[in-house]
Amino acid sequence: HQKSECFAWGKCLRLTRDEPPMQHFPASKNDAAGNPFPERASRSVKGSIMDKPDLTLYLGGTRSGKSARAEARVFQRADGPVLYVATAEARPDDPSMTERIRRHRARRPENWRTLECPLQLGEHIGTALAEFRNTAGTPTVLLDCITLWVSNILFSLPDPEELRAFEGAVRRETEALLDVIRSSGCQWVVVSGETGLGGIEPTRLGRNYCDGLGLANQLIAAQAREAFLVVAGRLLKLEE
């Protein structure tokens, strides 16, 4: 097909009316140490996405519909237990965030397990997935969202304005998460914000945050079988 000339996150944008059907491939055997689902590991496919984990990334701006799209994909394709990983924290001084969290919780089925995890995603998700070892079907992890997680990393540092330390922390945490994604054999749906399309932030802290989030998004997108940009509830597929 004819590809667009517009590029972002190392991928090019192509308009699509809806998600294309995902190909399903049999799991191959992998007895790597530490993998809670060795019989499901290395769920790779042929072609340009060889050896990539079963990972789909949804990017978008505020209220773009990215979370709803991600949840719809899980509803449609999950064939086992679902682990919903929330990185947002409800705080008494932020009623709007509390209301947003309430709406997200109301949309989720009662049989989805929720893990609230503001930091160290790789470690905590790996521990939670071990509980699904003997369950029927392939577990699905819905992670929402990378945007707040990167913000949590930023403000966990002694000096949030030190860009090198922040980028180093983002890279380490993201690689630890990707290690779990690659070894788990689970289906993964990840949501993240795209904050880099509105111009350059006027403050140093804002610029650092956008740089860190952009780094995390690129690292995750590079491992994704499919990635979408969500605009007004519509999908733009991001090609390699």
Side-chain angles (χ1 to χ4, degrees), residues 156-231:
S156 71
L157 298 175
D159 183 3
E161 293 193 353
E162 177 53 52
L163 178 60
R164 180 171 297 183
F166 174 47
E167 288 188 336
V170 169
R171 185 178 295 276
R172 287 191 300 273
E173 287 250 14
T174 304
E175 289 295 349
L177 172 63
L178 289 171
D179 284 344
V180 174
I181 290 175
R182 285 187 288 258
S183 66
S184 68
C186 299
Q187 300 178 63
W188 291 75
V189 178
V190 175
V191 178
S192 188
E194 176 45 62
T195 62
L197 301 178
I200 299 175
E201 288 289 332
T203 66
R204 181 178 180 182
L205 190 63
R207 292 192 298 271
N208 286 0
Y209 172 73
C210 287
D211 287 348
L213 179 60
L215 173 61
N217 285 344
Q218 288 194 56
L219 291 172
I220 295 169
Q223 295 298 313
R225 289 187 190 175
E226 292 185 290
F228 299 94
L229 176 65
V230 185
V231 180

Side-chain angles (χ1 to χ4, degrees), residues 97-114:
M97 177 59 70
T98 300
E99 172 60 18
R100 188 177 295 247
I101 292 172
R102 186 198 65 78
R103 290 198 305 268
H104 279 238
R105 286 173 176 168
R107 291 203 304 255
R108 299 198 294 266
E110 293 183 357
N111 63 335
W112 287 11
R113 182 187 166 186
T114 298

Side-chain angles (χ1 to χ4, degrees), residues 11-134:
K11 297 173 180 281
C12 73
L13 278 63
R14 178 170 64 85
L15 181 63
T16 177
R17 290 188 176 181
D18 208 338
E19 300 179 29
M22 176 177 280
Q23 294 177 324
H24 294 275
F25 297 86
S28 59
K29 298 294 182 180
N30 187 327
D31 294 328
N35 174 19
F37 306 103
E39 72 284 359
R40 303 168 185 161
S42 301
R43 295 165 60 92
S44 60
V45 298
K46 297 180 180 179
S48 62
I49 55 175
M50 175 68 75
D51 295 332
K52 289 190 176 181
D54 192 346
L55 167 62
T56 303
L57 174 64
Y58 287 89
L59 294 157
T62 302
R63 300 303 295 271
S64 61
K66 58 188 181 295
S67 292
R69 280 287 191 169
E71 291 166 11
R73 186 181 184 97
V74 173
F75 275 119
Q76 179 183 9
R77 302 190 177 183
D79 62 355
V82 175
L83 176 66
Y84 184 100
V85 181
T87 62
E89 291 184 288
R91 297 178 180 175
D93 60 342
D94 192 349
S96 63
M97 177 59 70
T98 300
E99 172 60 18
R100 188 177 295 247
I101 292 172
R102 186 198 65 78
R103 290 198 305 268
H104 279 238
R105 286 173 176 168
R107 291 203 304 255
R108 299 198 294 266
E110 293 183 357
N111 63 335
W112 287 11
R113 182 187 166 186
T114 298
L115 173 64
E116 296 183 350
C117 186
L119 289 168
Q120 298 176 321
L121 288 179
E123 176 184 348
H124 293 297
I125 294 175
T127 300
L129 286 178
E131 299 181 12
F132 294 155
R133 185 187 302 271
N134 298 319

